[in-house]
Amino acid sequence: MAFSFLAREAGRVHVCGHRGYSLLYPENTLPAFEAAKAAGATTVEIDVVLTADGEPIVLHDLTVDRTTNGHGFAADLSLEQIRRLDAGGRFHPTFAGTKVPTVAEALDWAKADNMGVVLEIKEAERPDIAVDRVAALLRTTRTADRVIVISFDHVMLKRAVERHPGLRTEAITHARHADLVGVLRACSANSVSIELDMFSPDDAKALHQAGCSNRVHVPRPDVLAQYWRGGRDPLPELVQWIADGLIDTVSGDDVPFIAMLVKRAGRAG
C-alpha cells in the first residue's frame, strides 16, 4: 500500500521533522533525519539543489556557506567537492565530519526506515532538471510511493506533473487564498503546505472533500513563547483541529514538541 499523506488513509496524523530534527541536529543531514524518527517523526522535509555535475543533493541554501565549512554556490561545485565539506561542525563540534547527503542516500534511508519524505525543490537555475533527476531517483530507488515533491513555484509543479504523471506534489503558500482547492487544481497538486497562522478549518474541510491533504507548519516553542508571554495560547485550538482530523501533517523544527501535540490530540496512530 502506498504511503498516504492523508490522515484518514494513514490512520494517523503525520509528524514531519522540518529539515530533520533541525532544532538540535545539523539540518538536512542523515543524523538529523535519524534523530527525527527517534523523536516521533513519521516524515521528514528535505531541500534539494543540484551540483555542478547535476547530482541532486540535500541542501536548503543555494550556497554551502551557512551550513558547511565551504564557500560558493552548490551549482558551481562538483559532487566530489561538496562531499569533502563538513556539514556538521559549524552547527556543533559533536557533528564534525557529517557530510551533505545526496538525495539518493536520503531516499534509501527513508525506504529502509519506512519514513515519508516531503521533498522541496530549492534549485533555482535548473528547477525542471532537478525535478527530472528526482523523478528518476524515485523510480530507481522505488520510493515514489513515499515521497511528495513540494515547491513555492506552482508553475514548476504543474510542469513536473505534466512530465511525470503520477508524481505527488504539494504547493507551498504563505497566504490564505479565496479558493485554495482551485489553487491546487491549477497546478495539479495533491496537497498544500501552510503556516499555522494561515490555517482555516473551513479550508481544511474543502481540501479533504476534494481529496487533498494539508501540512501545517508550527513555530518552535521559543517563537510561541511570545504569544504565551502576552497571555495568548494557540495550542489548545491547534490540538483540537488535529483531534478533529482537519490536519494531515504537523511540521516543525522541534520534533518532540510537535509529536507531543499530535499525541495529546489522540491522533498518533
Side-chain angles (χ1 to χ4, degrees):
M1 181 178 176
F3 188 100
S4 179
F5 291 91
L6 268 169
R8 67 172 182 253
E9 293 178 354
R12 62 170 304 141
V13 170
H14 286 296
V15 172
C16 181
H18 182 239
R19 307 178 201 173
Y21 187 177
S22 57
L23 185 66
L24 296 182
Y25 293 80
E27 66 177 57
N28 278 322
T29 64
L30 289 173
F33 304 154
E34 292 163 354
K37 180 182 180 182
T42 53
T43 66
V44 292
E45 186 267 356
I46 70 174
D47 302 288
V48 177
V49 299
L50 295 178
T51 63
D53 39 356
E55 181 70 28
I57 59 170
V58 183
L59 189 73
H60 177 273
D61 300 353
L62 299 182
T63 70
V64 299
D65 297 54
R66 180 177 63 87
T67 56
T68 79
N69 63 342
H71 173 69
F73 284 87
D76 294 333
L77 302 171
S78 68
L79 177 61
E80 182 181 357
Q81 290 174 304
I82 288 176
R83 293 293 274 178
R84 290 200 294 263
L85 301 178
D86 184 337
R90 178 164 290 181
F91 185 85
H92 192 278
T94 304
F95 302 106
T98 300
K99 303 301 181 186
V100 174
T102 64
V103 171
E105 289 171 335
L107 294 177
D108 284 340
W109 169 81
K111 184 176 181 180
D113 282 49
N114 192 30
M115 293 285 285
V117 177
V118 180
L119 188 153
E120 182 174 352
I121 303 294
K122 284 289 188 181
E123 173 63 32
E125 297 174 353
R126 298 165 289 170
D128 290 333
I129 294 176
V131 169
D132 293 344
R133 297 287 167 84
V134 166
L137 283 173
L138 296 184
R139 291 190 294 271
T140 58
T141 59
R142 297 183 180 181
T143 53
D145 61 337
R146 64 180 63 251
V147 174
I148 191 164
V149 174
I150 75 172
S151 179
F152 284 95
D153 187 340
H154 298 185
V155 177
M156 182 269 288
L157 288 180
K158 182 176 176 62
R159 291 198 302 263
V161 175
E162 289 171 350
R163 292 197 310 281
H164 305 283
L167 186 70
R168 289 188 290 183
T169 59
E170 179 174 282
I172 308 174
T173 176
H174 282 178
R176 187 181 179 204
H177 295 274
D179 181 4
L180 190 52
V181 172
V183 169
L184 298 191
R185 286 176 174 160
C187 62
S188 303
N190 311 98
S191 183
V192 66
S193 173
I194 194 165
E195 300 295 316
L196 176 59
D197 60 359
M198 288 289 107
F199 177 82
S200 162
D202 289 340
D203 293 343
K205 292 172 185 176
L207 287 167
H208 287 162
Q209 288 173 0
C212 300
S213 61
N214 62 64
R215 181 170 65 99
V216 177
H217 189 78
V218 176
R220 300 178 308 188
D222 62 314
V223 176
L224 290 171
Q226 299 173 30
Y227 289 87
W228 299 332
R229 286 194 294 268
R232 290 168 171 79
D233 188 358
L235 295 187
E237 192 170 45
L238 170 60
V239 169
Q240 189 61 55
W241 289 336
I242 298 170
D244 290 343
L246 296 173
I247 296 176
D248 298 292
T249 297
V250 182
S251 178
D253 299 343
D254 190 338
V255 176
F257 174 67
I258 57 175
M260 175 273 294
L261 296 177
V262 172
K263 184 175 181 180
R264 183 185 296 177
R267 298 302 300 268

